[in-house]
Amino acid sequence: MTVRLQHRSVRSVALLATAAMVAACGGRSGAQAQGGGAGKDVLALMQTRGLTEADVQAALKTYTPTGKHDEYYTFASGGHGGNVIVIGVPSMRILKYIGVFTPEPWQGFGYGDESGEVLRQGFRGGQEITWADTHHPALSETAGEYDGQFLFINDKCNPRVAVIDLSDFVTKQIVGSELIASEHGATFVTPNTDYVIETSQYPAPLGGVYADVSEFDTKYRGAMIFWKFDRKQGRIVPADSFAIELPPYMQDLADCGKKVSDGWVFCNSINTERAYGGILEGKPPLESGATQNDMDYLHCIPWRKAEAVAKAGKTETIAGMRVIRMQTAIDEGLLAFVPQPKSPHGCDVTPDGTGVVVGGKLDTHTTVYDILKIAEQMEQKQYVGKDPYGVPILDFKKSIFGQCEIGLGPLHTVFDDKGFAYTSVFIETVVAKWSLKDLKVVDKLDTHFNIGHLVAAEGDTVSPDGKYLIAMNKWALDRFAPVGPLLPQNFQLVDISGEKMTLLYDMPLPLGEPHNAQMVKAGKLKPIEVYKPIGMNPYTHAVDPNATIAGKERIERKADGVHVYMTSVRSHFTPDIVRVKEGDRVFLHVTNVEQAKDATHGLAIGGQNVNVSLEPGKHCNIEFVANKAGVFPFYCTEFCSALHLEMAGYLLVEPK
Ligand code: CUK
Ligand code: CUA
């Protein structure tokens, strides 16, 4: 296909290209003259490749020359890939995959050392689980601003929450409670990251016990868990965490109040009909049972009050979790509902903290709830009714700012620095930009194709940046070269700095449906370059008691097995011959004694499913049973030096 450019357009492109070349040359002598020639080359290139002026502008806005870093990090959930993907913006270059709930071979995550312990923390009821359906990553916040220290992410399928330390981009902890059987409204943090919120989705009897689904109304329940976060330790403290029991609706998404609404948390819900399917038992399918009501309920919870109630001991312990029972929550004024139109989705608090925006999958509006009005009515107990469980209901009209007529199927909303909101509209497949002041749509941008979440630069904090937005679309259909029936997802980078949104870049994401992401200023993160001092264990944040000092390498036979104290340095392991007997338990205490930034080694042992990553200064403890006699070469997996292939040794397992 040839693209014919209008004369005027050709000239302006030439000018644009020239300007870009001149700028790129940094005004060095001769740049002007070179620029003219380059402009002509650029034009020829455009014509050969069939690029428009808009294409070139988009390219210039995203292209990041070698050696230049991106302005933002985006942390995207890997969906049912169970991991986190780190992406640079505006280049949309993938910077890292972080293994979270799923083993990640490149990082040696889950292949023999303590990282396996982290994965094991996430097993449920003795069941080994090595995948997850990650949905909503949340960056830690201080006073409602991202502080660049931690990232949390949830698993919808096996209700769990993971803690990732952004000093080394490593998953440090997984917590889960058998109080609930699935979740969705996670992870969302309070403005100072006191708590990480996790809310159930599909109701089930609390605590993992059995009750037939016919007892749905009486025995099935939902719950919101408040995981206490200890920032100093960088860990969630389950013993200090608590939950609130909720009616058996499908609690969906949550968000915490901020500024004027600090101390509140909101959660939308679906299926207040309490349908539970039963197609072969003569009942309507779940989806039609769950869409009978015109209104579901926004859950409004003053969490600071709830925290005080939990501290006062008005809880019952279920599956090891302190639970504020539903009746206590009602009696203490911890829970009220406001009606929400038609299969609501999304729950996003505005940057100033006065409103919470909710979409509706079968609605054409976004509704902006007025948090202060809600708080006031709850304070004065101005209720218009009760749900079947006695939870008070507020008047819809008296609880909202208003509604924005937006298009069919609004989902999620993020914000910019100029008072605009951006909502993903699923059925219409657009991003709708609308004014928070007068609730009017000012622009729409087509996405390719089914948009789910969207993320804007610092777009869910108290001070969004504007600039960039990524539409996270499910299934790319025709945007990329075909790769078989399972389609990649499509992240579309959008420039939101001007009045009109402009599409800049399509990035295929060959992983699970990614749901949500967070976009943070790159400068806020201060990752370490090497582990210091030598012998640091990333999982204890301390020099490991078994750290091996260069020159003190040794092999010791102890009561529990053979302990090998090993070091790695370019280009050898010491010791490089390890002799054990068939059936021995083997402990490898390996320290990478290097401190140069790129001196990473890996240690892989044939036949043992052992593969660890040894970043400079890192120590790890590997444990396995040598249950098969034979000769097992081990070697370094990182091309660390010219003699990397020679960085190897033998594990000799002598027959009994
Ligand atoms: S849900 Cu995925 S598009 Cu899990 Cu946040 Cu709305
Ligand atoms: Cu060390 Cu290759």
Side-chain angles (χ1 to χ4, degrees):
M1 186 182 77
T2 50
V3 168
R4 265 189 239 127
L5 296 161
Q6 297 294 320
H7 180 67
R8 210 155 53 108
S9 151
V10 168
R11 224 182 40 202
S12 63
V13 166
L15 283 173
L16 175 75
T18 305
M21 295 305 291
V22 170
C25 290
R28 263 177 278 131
S29 63
Q32 220 82 23
Q34 273 175 15
K40 235 193 253 161
D41 289 350
V42 171
L43 261 182
L45 200 54
M46 284 174 66
Q47 265 157 349
T48 321
R49 296 203 63 214
L51 301 176
T52 66
E53 181 178 341
D55 294 337
V56 172
Q57 267 178 349
L60 291 178
K61 282 182 184 174
T62 55
Y63 179 67
T64 308
T66 181
K68 286 247 163 77
H69 293 186
D70 280 297
E71 197 181 343
Y72 289 92
Y73 288 101
T74 288
F75 293 90
S77 115
H80 35 294
N83 53 5
V84 164
I85 308 136
V86 189
I87 301 163
V89 175
S91 74
M92 301 305 277
R93 297 177 295 195
I94 293 181
L95 303 174
K96 196 166 208 173
Y97 292 106
I98 305 174
V100 183
F101 298 104
T102 309
E104 165 56 61
W106 166 57
Q107 285 149 28
F109 186 73
Y111 292 97
D113 71 354
E114 289 101 324
S115 58
E117 274 309 310
V118 177
L119 283 171
R120 276 190 287 280
Q121 289 169 1
F123 294 0
R124 283 177 70 86
Q127 173 65 50
E128 180 175 324
I129 297 171
T130 56
W131 85 284
D133 187 10
T134 57
H135 277 231
H136 309 110
L139 285 162
S140 59
E141 294 179 11
T142 300
E145 300 273 12
Y146 299 149
D147 53 40
Q149 293 183 353
F150 297 95
L151 183 78
F152 308 93
I153 192 159
N154 68 321
D155 171 11
K156 166 170 162 150
C157 186
N158 319 282
R160 298 177 295 172
V161 166
V163 181
I164 299 162
D165 190 333
L166 294 179
S167 72
D168 58 357
F169 286 58
V170 170
T171 303
K172 303 292 167 122
Q173 184 188 25
I174 296 175
V175 295
S177 172
E178 288 178 36
L179 179 70
I180 54 176
S182 76
E183 53 106 292
H184 191 228
T187 52
F188 300 95
V189 298
T190 55
N192 282 307
T193 323
D194 301 293
Y195 290 98
V196 183
I197 311 287
E198 183 187 32
T199 314
S200 61
Q201 178 138 72
Y202 306 116
L206 294 183
V209 297
Y210 177 80
D212 190 79
V213 74
S214 58
E215 296 182 284
F216 193 91
D217 292 358
T218 51
K219 301 246 172 98
Y220 286 42
R221 290 292 179 267
M224 179 180 281
I225 298 176
F226 294 77
W227 291 107
K228 177 75 188 153
F229 185 61
D230 179 340
R231 193 187 286 266
K232 247 205 209 120
Q233 303 298 321
R235 298 289 187 278
I236 282 169
V237 188
D240 293 343
S241 307
F242 67 94
I244 300 179
E245 179 188 19
L246 299 172
Y249 309 142
M250 288 180 191
Q251 283 77 25
D252 193 30
L253 285 150
D255 200 5
C256 294
K258 51 186 91 164
K259 290 186 156 174
V260 290
S261 57
D262 187 3
W264 286 86
V265 56
F266 301 91
C267 179
N268 73 294
S269 68
I270 49 179
N271 195 22
T272 47
E273 297 83 350
R274 293 174 289 169
Y276 52 80
I279 298 175
L280 288 187
E281 297 173 16
K283 290 224 171 70
L286 180 52
E287 95 219 47
S288 70
T291 46
Q292 299 304 306
N293 296 348
D294 282 335
M295 294 282 203
D296 291 295
Y297 297 129
L298 178 71
H299 295 38
C300 309
I301 297 171
W303 67 260
R304 262 193 234 284
K305 257 176 135 178
E307 182 188 42
V309 168
K311 276 196 180 140
K314 295 177 191 169
T315 55
E316 241 173 73
T317 300
I318 305 174
M321 176 67 67
R322 292 182 300 151
V323 181
I324 300 174
R325 298 311 296 249
M326 202 154 54
Q327 193 56 51
T328 311
I330 295 166
D331 295 344
E332 300 280 343
L334 304 182
L335 179 63
F337 291 152
V338 190
Q340 299 180 295
K342 220 57 196 162
S343 293
H345 197 55
C347 182
D348 298 288
V349 174
T350 56
D352 65 2
T354 61
V356 50
V357 181
V358 175
K361 302 190 295 289
L362 302 178
D363 195 13
T364 54
H365 299 93
T366 47
T367 303
V368 187
Y369 290 83
D370 185 326
I371 300 176
L372 296 181
K373 282 186 196 163
I374 290 172
E376 199 184 299
Q377 291 173 84
M378 276 179 76
E379 200 63 46
Q380 297 172 358
K381 300 201 163 60
Q382 287 175 8
Y383 303 126
V384 293
K386 279 182 183 166
D387 86 330
Y389 299 91
V391 179
I393 300 170
L394 304 181
D395 183 69
F396 174 67
K397 288 248 163 66
K398 279 190 191 150
S399 305
I400 65 170
F401 272 125
Q403 294 186 294
C404 175
E405 177 78 52
I406 207 153
L408 196 57
L411 302 181
H412 302 282
T413 301
V414 292
F415 307 93
D416 73 4
D417 54 337
K418 297 180 187 78
F420 293 103
Y422 300 79
T423 299
S424 52
V425 188
F426 181 77
I427 299 176
E428 207 185 316
T429 15
V430 296
V431 176
K433 173 180 177 178
W434 50 285
S435 160
L436 279 171
K437 215 162 75 200
D438 55 16
L439 310 182
K440 291 259 156 32
V441 172
V442 295
D443 191 25
K444 279 190 179 177
L445 180 82
D446 284 333
T447 60
H448 310 88
F449 287 91
N450 307 326
I451 185 168
H453 274 272
L454 71 187
V455 62
E458 312 232 340
D460 60 2
T461 69
V462 292
S463 63
D465 284 6
K467 288 192 181 179
Y468 300 113
L469 177 147
I470 299 172
M472 287 174 268
N473 310 317
K474 306 163 192 301
W475 301 324
L477 291 179
D478 62 1
R479 296 292 109 165
F480 310 109
V483 289
L486 184 59
L487 305 173
Q489 326 291 334
N490 187 9
F491 277 16
Q492 290 190 298
L493 180 68
V494 179
D495 180 351
I496 56 165
S497 60
E499 238 168 77
K500 291 248 157 221
M501 295 179 277
T502 49
L503 180 62
L504 298 181
Y505 192 75
D506 281 20
M507 175 206 189
L509 203 75
L511 264 176
E513 183 190 317
H515 301 277
N516 203 14
Q518 301 266 273
M519 197 192 299
V520 55
K521 280 188 195 77
K524 284 191 179 174
L525 272 70
K526 303 272 181 283
I528 57 166
E529 297 189 328
V530 301
Y531 287 104
K532 256 186 209 167
I534 292 171
M536 272 286 281
N537 183 326
Y539 299 100
T540 58
H541 267 289
V543 172
D544 196 275
N546 288 313
T548 310
I549 296 163
K552 297 271 171 67
E553 296 91 346
R554 63 206 183 273
I555 301 174
E556 288 176 2
R557 183 167 282 278
K558 296 185 184 173
D560 57 352
V562 180
H563 289 255
V564 182
Y565 296 85
M566 184 183 272
T567 58
S568 68
V569 72
R570 273 160 294 178
S571 305
H572 54 272
F573 294 106
T574 309
D576 53 0
I577 307 263
V578 175
R579 297 172 201 276
V580 302
K581 298 222 157 44
E582 184 183 343
D584 274 344
R585 187 167 285 275
V586 182
F587 301 86
L588 298 179
H589 309 291
V590 195
T591 306
N592 180 358
V593 295
E594 307 229 30
Q595 286 283 273
K597 192 175 166 179
D598 63 345
T600 293
H601 304 286
L603 173 58
I605 310 177
Q608 311 293 342
N609 204 32
V610 168
N611 164 45
V612 299
S613 173
L614 293 158
E615 293 96 83
K618 177 169 155 184
H619 177 85
C620 66
N621 298 298
I622 302 162
E623 189 185 328
F624 62 94
V625 178
N627 48 19
K628 190 174 177 291
V631 173
F632 303 92
F634 61 83
Y635 67 95
C636 169
T637 50
E638 295 278 352
F639 211 109
C640 54
S641 70
L643 295 177
H644 147 78
L645 290 175
E646 289 80 353
M647 189 167 175
Y650 284 104
L651 168 72
L652 301 167
V653 184
E654 194 187 317
K656 261 191 198 139

